[in-house]
Amino acid sequence: LQTTKVDVEAELQTYKHSRQGLDEMYNEARRQLREESQLRQDMENELVVQVSMKHEIELAMKLLEKDIHEKQDTLIGLRQQLDEVKAINMEMYQKLQVSEDAMKEKNEIIGRLEDKTNQINATMKQLEQRLQQAEKAQMEAEAEDEKLKQECVNKSESLQKEFSQKEKQLLQLETDLKIEKEWRQTLEDHLQKEKEAVSHLRIETQETVNLKKEFLKLQEKNKQLKRVCQDQEAALQELASKLSESKLKIEDIKEANKALQGQVWLKDKEATHCKLCEKEFSLSKRKHHCRNCGEIFCNACSDNELPLPSSPKPVRVCDSCHAILIQRCSSNMP
């Protein structure tokens, strides 16, 4: 009986160590679960930002249809927003990778918890065997007690002490049996809690998989938006080329009129840089003729309007002609 009690105490000590390890693993799993929830919230916020950016892109595309110049500026904004969307997609992809790694770690934790559960089941089986042995020993003690009672009729005084000792042993066995039953019930409760935790982790894993599917759908929608943006950009480039051709024709007509009037009118093809600031002309930095000298300047260097003898209505003149005409007008004043 003393050997059985020592074994039971050893088993209790082993169970305490196992339970401490399980508690640590359970706390770690809960911490990882909170991190996963935070990651999921961040991804949802990113999705809301992406939807709002989609509405902004649609509004910008409608504004592009009003004015060709505004279309060019809006196109630059759309390209910047597209770069931001690409950056956001890259961040979301990285977060998804981190989520997948965390999900793998959770699966590993679930596997370890299942192993611990199997170990607890094995320990419970061993405890049940020991409980059966204790019950068998109790039955044997009871049989022996009955024999002692029969012998006490003849040896009441000599065996009274031994009978008391046997009663104490019987009480101790009953107490040990009660403790064993309580341990068994506690182990069953802990096992049920661990099963519920494993089920909860599996549900969270399934939710993560569903979130990944939703992310893939949004990624496909983003690709479709990119294709629409590329089509709009191509249409805008085509409109810009047509506008450039129309402007070239208008400038040619104006050059012909200036030639008829005896003025020197520089052709668009001959000018590649602004005469004042010497910046190269491009799609965003357009060419402008000075109506006084006929040279070609950028918008910043020819952002002046004055009436000329050939045109009483104010027309565009460059900064140099503007200064000369203002000075001439002031000197002519009395």
Side-chain angles (χ1 to χ4, degrees):
L1 293 176
Q2 293 178 354
T3 304
T4 303
K5 184 177 180 181
V6 170
D7 293 338
V8 170
E9 291 178 353
E11 289 294 334
L12 178 61
Q13 190 68 24
T14 304
Y15 167 74
K16 288 181 179 179
H17 289 297
S18 301
R19 180 58 189 170
Q20 184 177 3
L22 287 172
D23 290 338
E24 292 176 356
M25 292 177 66
Y26 179 72
N27 292 330
E28 182 66 19
R30 288 185 63 186
R31 183 184 64 78
Q32 292 181 359
L33 181 60
R34 287 195 296 270
E35 293 177 355
E36 282 294 322
S37 299
Q38 186 64 33
L39 286 174
R40 179 181 177 183
Q41 186 64 33
D42 293 339
M43 290 179 72
E44 289 178 353
N45 293 335
E46 294 293 338
L47 289 175
V48 171
V49 173
Q50 189 174 7
V51 171
S52 64
M53 290 180 66
K54 176 184 175 183
H55 293 304
E56 291 177 0
I57 291 173
E58 291 176 353
L59 180 60
M61 295 303 295
K62 291 179 181 179
L63 292 175
L64 283 173
E65 297 175 355
K66 294 181 180 179
D67 188 14
I68 295 177
H69 300 296
E70 292 179 357
K71 285 181 179 179
Q72 293 175 351
D73 297 333
T74 308
L75 178 61
I76 296 172
L78 283 173
R79 288 178 179 172
Q80 294 177 353
Q81 291 178 1
L82 184 60
D83 293 335
E84 293 175 356
V85 170
K86 289 180 180 178
I88 291 172
N89 286 335
M90 183 60 66
E91 291 178 359
M92 292 181 68
Y93 179 75
Q94 292 175 357
K95 290 181 179 180
L96 182 61
Q97 291 295 117
V98 173
S99 177
E100 289 178 351
D101 295 337
M103 186 170 64
K104 290 180 181 178
E105 293 178 358
K106 280 188 176 181
N107 290 330
E108 293 176 358
I109 292 172
I110 289 172
R112 290 197 293 269
L113 287 173
E114 288 177 352
D115 294 336
K116 290 292 184 180
T117 303
N118 293 330
Q119 292 178 2
I120 290 173
N121 289 329
T123 304
M124 287 183 64
K125 289 180 180 179
Q126 293 178 0
L127 289 174
E128 288 177 355
Q129 292 177 358
R130 291 187 178 276
L131 182 61
Q132 291 176 359
Q133 292 177 1
E135 290 175 352
K136 185 177 179 181
Q138 182 181 1
M139 293 174 65
E140 291 175 358
E142 289 175 355
E144 188 176 0
D145 186 59
E146 291 294 331
K147 291 179 181 180
L148 288 172
K149 286 181 180 179
Q150 292 177 2
E151 292 177 357
C152 281
V153 176
N154 299 323
K155 300 179 180 180
S156 58
E157 294 181 357
S158 62
L159 296 178
Q160 186 66 33
K161 294 181 181 180
E162 293 181 4
F163 179 73
S164 300
Q165 292 177 357
K166 290 297 181 181
E167 281 186 343
K168 291 180 181 180
Q169 290 178 358
L170 180 60
L171 292 174
Q172 184 65 35
L173 285 172
E174 291 177 351
T175 303
D176 294 340
L177 179 61
K178 185 177 180 181
I179 292 171
E180 289 288 342
K181 289 181 178 179
E182 290 177 354
W183 287 346
R184 179 180 178 184
Q185 184 64 35
T186 304
L187 286 174
E188 289 178 353
D189 294 338
H190 288 312
L191 180 61
Q192 184 65 29
K193 290 180 181 179
E194 294 297 334
K195 288 181 179 179
E196 291 176 356
V198 170
S199 177
H200 183 67
L201 286 174
R202 286 177 178 171
I203 293 171
E204 290 294 333
T205 304
Q206 185 63 34
E207 290 179 355
T208 304
V209 172
N210 294 333
L211 184 61
K212 181 179 178 181
K213 291 180 181 179
E214 292 178 0
F215 172 75
L216 293 175
K217 290 180 181 178
L218 288 174
Q219 197 171 20
E220 184 63 26
K221 289 182 180 179
N222 188 22
K223 290 181 180 178
Q224 294 177 1
L225 287 174
K226 286 181 181 178
R227 287 195 293 269
V228 171
C229 184
Q230 289 175 358
D231 295 338
Q232 293 292 334
E233 186 177 351
L236 181 60
Q237 290 178 356
E238 184 178 356
L239 288 173
S241 63
K242 291 182 180 180
L243 178 63
S244 179
E245 292 176 0
S246 299
K247 286 186 176 180
L248 290 175
K249 290 179 181 179
I250 293 171
E251 295 297 336
D252 290 338
I253 293 171
K254 289 182 177 180
E255 288 175 4
N257 290 331
K258 292 294 182 180
L260 292 174
Q261 295 176 2
Q263 296 180 359
V264 179
W265 191 262
L266 188 63
K267 295 183 178 180
D268 286 349
K269 297 180 180 179
E270 296 177 357
T272 59
H273 296 75
C274 178
K275 187 174 182 181
L276 286 180
C277 64
E278 296 184 353
K279 291 184 179 179
E280 186 177 2
F281 294 117
S282 62
L283 185 62
S284 59
K285 187 176 285 297
R286 297 182 297 165
K287 302 176 183 179
H288 298 279
H289 279 86
C290 175
R291 271 45 176 188
N292 185 52
C293 64
E295 295 290 339
I296 295 177
F297 304 88
C298 65
N299 183 60
C301 295
S302 61
D303 191 14
N304 306 293
E305 290 185 354
L306 286 176
L308 298 176
S310 61
S311 176
K313 184 179 179 180
V315 292
R316 183 187 293 271
V317 294
C318 64
D319 292 343
S320 300
C321 292
H322 182 264
I324 293 171
L325 291 173
I326 292 297
Q327 184 178 4
R328 185 183 302 171
C329 181
S330 61
S331 62
N332 293 331
M333 291 179 65

